[in-house]
Amino acid sequence: MTDTATAFSGEKARIGAPAIAGFTEEGENLSPLNEDSSPLGGDASQAHSHGGGAGVPDSSRAGRLTSYRLEDFKPLTGREEDWRFTPLKRLGGLHKNVPTGTAPTVTTDLGDGATVETVSMDDPRIGSAGIPEDRVSANGWNAATEATVLTLGANAENVRATLTLTGAGLEAAAQHLVVVAEPNSRGLVVIDHVGSAVVTENIEIDVREGADLTVVSVQAWEDDSIHASSQQAKVAKDAQFKHIVVTFGGDLVRLTPSARFAGTGAKAEMFGLYFADAGQHLEHRLFVDHAQPRCTSNVLYKGALQGKDAHTVWVGDVLIRKEAEGTDSYEANRNLVLTDGARADSVPNLEIETGLIEGAGHASTTGRFDDEHLFYLMSRGIDEKTARRLVVRGFLNEIIQKIGVEELQTRLNDTVEAELAATEN
């Protein structure tokens, strides 16, 4: 595959204080924006009285408007930077109509140490880990009448919990989930989306001090589904958070995961796997906010595409604020295009406001099969079709094996096999 961003062959492109001339503890303005012309400047970069605008005005992420009020977000036109890849006509009206349909039903499979509740939207845990960052998220926040709260108890070990969200139909709906990992808890939560739905979803994830939480979000929708999901995590002091996204199903899926550090010594890993077929639009936009010293983040998303008009979008934003000394961060996106007619857009972004960091870097690759890999396998008696499938399996398995749940990993491997069997790949 051909490297299209700041990565060197065979090694990470890394940035640190010793490697950049001119960096000081005061940092450097690497990408000033024109306030008059940029959609991210002006009104969009100002703080708001309803909880928002935290950050530095005129930066691409730090100054983004946040608000619980739908009217604070202008109607979308598709020309906005955050929406320029998204076909609004296929969004099911989630950006302009009030979602009045029935939200996907929630069924649970809870291990020891996990509890689940249904609460009203005035519960104090609502809003503890996230504030809407766009019009669709705010629309869902205001339309939701209740929320599901899953809690992992303090000091609980090896907690397992699965929430299965089953679509209730194609009338636009809103859903709200909150996942709380109490201090020093250890657990894994699977959020499994199935059935048919048109839904705007807000998921808040509160990872408290010393907790170690893995959240796996699986989008296994039917082909007619439309899903917009904001999944925001707050990661406290010395906590560890792993977020894994797996997206196969749906007509249009747009996920915006984020991890914000709220204490020193925390760690976030964000992994993703997506497989787009003909006509599907799968979009993932993530944000890592290094607002605390000595935190670590690692991002890796991998995607495969096949079929006419299969379209994937990946945008990764990492912000290292001035106060985030000692940060170590890296993000990468890899795409494997299996047929003609498919398109992958990949945009890694890195903002650095201090040079006193351990390292930071980003990379993006998009391409077809590696001819050397195919030649190696075929020279050992494997036919070309089987060799191609082996390459794809190996490419995607790096993400699947990070889940750590054998039955789910088997299911996802079977799904990859089914995807590959649908074409000549």
Side-chain angles (χ1 to χ4, degrees), residues 175-192:
Q175 188 145 46
H176 202 108
L177 305 176
V178 180
V179 178
V180 179
E182 294 283 6
N184 301 309
S185 60
R186 304 283 185 273
L188 182 148
V189 175
V190 177
I191 304 172
D192 197 4

Side-chain angles (χ1 to χ4, degrees), residues 147-270:
T148 300
V149 179
L150 172 67
T151 304
L152 277 60
N155 302 305
E157 295 283 347
N158 299 318
V159 182
R160 294 289 180 91
T162 298
L163 302 179
T164 301
L165 279 57
T166 305
L170 296 178
E171 186 178 354
Q175 188 145 46
H176 202 108
L177 305 176
V178 180
V179 178
V180 179
E182 294 283 6
N184 301 309
S185 60
R186 304 283 185 273
L188 182 148
V189 175
V190 177
I191 304 172
D192 197 4
H193 301 88
V194 298
S196 294
V198 176
V199 60
T200 170
E201 174 186 63
N202 286 285
I203 300 178
E204 300 182 66
I205 305 167
D206 187 358
V207 190
R208 298 183 176 174
E209 186 170 341
D212 186 344
L213 175 67
T214 297
V215 173
V216 183
S217 179
V218 181
Q219 287 62 243
W221 298 108
E222 296 297 324
D223 293 341
D224 53 0
S225 296
I226 299 168
H227 182 204
S229 180
S230 169
Q231 304 189 10
Q232 300 193 51
K234 181 177 69 173
V235 188
K237 181 177 184 293
D238 296 327
Q240 297 188 55
F241 174 58
K242 181 188 293 185
H243 186 264
I244 304 173
V245 166
V246 180
T247 304
F248 289 100
D251 176 65
L252 183 149
V253 175
R254 186 182 195 271
L255 268 61
T256 54
S258 65
R260 292 175 168 84
F261 292 111
T264 60
K267 179 179 181 181
E269 296 178 295
M270 303 182 76

Side-chain angles (χ1 to χ4, degrees), residues 39 73-91 95-96 134-136 254:
F73 296 95
K74 296 178 180 179
L76 299 179
T77 66
R79 295 189 297 271
E80 300 83 1
E81 175 61 28
D82 266 9
W83 294 92
R84 65 188 177 97
F85 291 115
T86 309
L88 296 182
K89 291 182 179 179
R90 294 172 57 183
L91 203 53
H95 61 304
K96 58 183 179 181
D134 60 49
R135 183 175 179 85
V136 173
R254 186 182 195 271

Side-chain angles (χ1 to χ4, degrees), residues 333-366:
N333 176 225
R334 316 290 186 193
N335 296 292
L336 189 57
V337 180
L338 305 179
T339 66
D340 293 333
R343 171 183 169 183
D345 287 294
S346 180
V347 186
N349 299 308
L350 176 61
E351 298 178 66
I352 305 174
E353 297 176 353
T354 177
L356 300 180
I357 60 176
E358 293 297 319
H362 59 175
S364 170
T365 59
T366 298

